[in-house]
Amino acid sequence: MWRSCFRLGAGSGSFPRRACLLPASRLGPGDQAGPAPGLALLRRAYAPPAERKKFYQNVSITQGEGGYEINLDHRKLKTPNAKLFTVPSEALAVAVATEWDSQRDTVKFYTMHLTTLCNTSLDNPTQRNKDQLIQASMKFLDTDTICYRVEEPETLVELQKNEWDPVIDWAEKRYDVKIGSSTNIMGPDIPAKTKETFISLLASYNMWALQGIEFVVTQLKSMVLSLGLIDRHLTVEKAVLLSRLEEEYQVQKWGNVEWAHDYELQELRARTAAGTLFVHLCSESSTVQHKLLQE
Amino acid sequence: MVALGPPARTLRALLRELRYLSAATERPYRDTAAYRYLVEAFRAHRVTSEKLCRAQHELHFQAATYLCLLRSTRNHVALHQEFHGKGERSVQEAAGVVGLKLPQQPGGKGWES
């Protein structure tokens, strides 16, 4: 009841109407613990998450039971779900530690893509299993960027043909499948056998690598380009360029806007590179083989 | 198989990025774990010795990917600071970003005073 009194006292017309229309009986016990409703409603919903003040000085890596752990000033790094942050490979631990170590006065979480990917893999916040992860990536094959072609203007048609066809040819030869391309709005007709091949290919990766693969696929909006990256056929720069081919064409024609085109390009490159590196670091098994033992 | 150029160039570019990063902590970049790891990895896989059979290209591809990550993140942060990091712009600044100026009205706009 104190809540409604507070609202009536402080309200006097300036409060949002929604708060006043909410009947008191619908307020659950959990609502009592939250901040005053007026403050929560007045905050802008689209404001970006605040950067945190840098609360540590030294970053170090220790080897624990489950893998490599990150320490910030003798405190162990935890995931958002308060799990212990452990990663399977040393190289990944070094890269994550470098991300934390290179923050200046504030911790900018939006630049720490590898940390984010590790957190997602450790927490699995949407509780997806392996099949769902594979399906989430496979969804992009039906509407693969490089299989969708335009019919006009002619220069763009030619550009798409020259740039995208070699990648599709490579993928068809490499995986022995049929992909094809289409100018139809319904997209290309991908045979069921192709999908089966890709599903069994993805199933050979572990959960961590699959999280990374899904991340790359959703960035590039293309399964074929992502496979090219994971198979080390394309560099990140090239894959991002191919993914944004039409935008690059428009930039060449109409001019480059630094705060839109360049900004997106750099962000996409950073995210794609992080995802690719994550897949490679998480999927490599024992990398040292003794030659004598093989004989 | 994609051509990546000489590995030494990739290493030099990576070390340059590490120098940029170490400006945050103001410690020499040679003290960081990343420096030690990278230099050791590049040294160990300089040639495929009898003992190590890992494809050199694989490691070089990873290094190039990491270089791309560091470089694009740095550029992205710089662009973010320049264009998005200062909160909302004034009307004059917003017009300036797209190369316009606000109109000048000699007699004032009428609602001042």
Side-chain angles (χ1 to χ4, degrees), chain A residues 3-175:
Chain A
R3 187 178 289 267
S4 50
C5 297
F6 168 76
R7 200 176 291 145
L8 286 175
S12 72
S14 70
F15 257 91
R17 277 187 79 82
R18 201 161 66 86
C20 302
L21 288 172
L22 196 69
S25 59
R26 280 182 58 195
L27 289 174
D31 289 341
Q32 303 292 337
L39 293 177
L41 284 170
L42 286 176
R43 196 189 296 153
R44 296 203 304 195
Y46 54 86
E51 297 164 2
R52 278 188 73 174
K53 192 167 168 291
K54 187 170 173 183
F55 53 91
Y56 53 88
Q57 290 301 316
N58 297 306
V59 184
S60 59
I61 302 167
T62 48
Q63 197 168 5
E65 284 174 17
Y68 295 87
E69 297 162 7
I70 312 284
N71 297 322
L72 308 174
D73 281 347
H74 308 296
R75 274 172 301 180
K76 290 190 172 186
L77 180 62
K78 299 262 179 83
T79 68
N81 274 3
K83 270 188 195 169
L84 185 63
F85 188 98
T86 51
V87 292
S89 97
E90 189 193 354
L92 189 57
V94 170
V96 170
T98 308
E99 270 184 350
W100 284 88
D101 205 19
S102 62
Q103 301 298 316
R104 274 168 197 257
D105 312 324
T106 54
V107 185
K108 298 182 182 64
F109 293 107
Y110 58 88
T111 64
M112 303 164 74
H113 303 299
L114 286 173
T115 309
T116 314
L117 276 166
C118 293
N119 281 336
T120 313
S121 294
L122 285 166
D123 284 347
N124 197 3
T126 45
Q127 300 293 322
R128 286 186 297 181
N129 59 26
K130 201 167 175 177
D131 287 337
Q132 286 168 318
L133 266 181
I134 293 173
Q135 283 307 326
S137 315
M138 287 300 294
K139 211 170 57 183
F140 281 82
L141 184 64
D142 290 322
T143 57
D144 203 297
T145 303
I146 68 168
C147 299
Y148 258 92
R149 302 297 168 84
V150 294
E151 285 171 322
E152 56 172 5
E154 262 176 43
T155 39
L156 182 57
V157 173
E158 189 141 324
L159 186 67
Q160 292 189 340
K161 195 169 171 304
N162 292 340
E163 295 291 330
W164 285 347
D165 275 356
V167 183
I168 293 187
D169 289 345
W170 165 83
E172 288 183 339
K173 275 204 196 103
R174 171 75 177 77
Y175 302 107

